[in-house]
Amino acid sequence: RFTQSPSAQITGEVIGAYTVTFQSEGGSEVASQIRANTPADQPADPTKEGYTFIGWDKAFDNVTSDMTVTALYEQNAVITDPTFVVGNATASNGDTVQIPISVVNNPGIASIVIQASYDESILTLSEVSFNDEIKGNTMISQTLTSPIELRWLVGISEVQGDFMFATLTFEVSNTALSNDETSIIVTYSEDEVYNLAEENIPFNIVNGKIVIK
């Protein structure tokens, strides 16, 4: 039995129900939920400075007792050199997920040509969008298949500093298995990233991944 206040908050004991506590481990707060033999709702992913959320340590799809679910993170790499950084995400079967590709510690470049590879048995690429704020000409492969090639050329000037280069939008297969991880891997040829003087600029790469819930 329980009583309910005018503000719709539970103020008494719920018989036969259990509390699911989401422990964010120093990240943004995640509210607890009360359930009885039913799944807890998937909460919004917590955020934690310097880390990327990669999932929860246990399933909460059948709540039969009080339980605590703990957030799992990966520490972000400390980047000091020019680097292409591919984003990470968590997703469920059938979800649409966006993965950004960013340019970090950029000393000044006028051209980028990169290839992004992914597992087509798990992911279907539905859209590639470039950052409208960076000037220049952009082009992608004729078909949205792996590996997809992304080209950008500004020609008459350089772009300096950090910026988001492009976003890849994927559809996750309905047959993807829970706790699977699938990588988005970027490669490039050294003569296809250069500055206005056509000097090659070496870039490191931090690849990304999608974790299936």
Side-chain angles (χ1 to χ4, degrees), residues 2 4 11 18 28 30 40 62 87 151-153 173 187 197 208 212:
F2 64 91
Q4 192 165 340
T11 58
Y18 308 101
S28 56
V30 180
N62 186 23
R151 290 180 170 267
W152 167 77
L153 176 66
S173 169
T187 57
I212 310 302

Side-chain angles (χ1 to χ4, degrees), residues 73-85:
Y73 300 92
E74 282 188 349
Q75 188 169 10
N76 297 338
V78 177
I79 299 172
T80 58
D81 297 319
T83 305
F84 295 122
V85 179

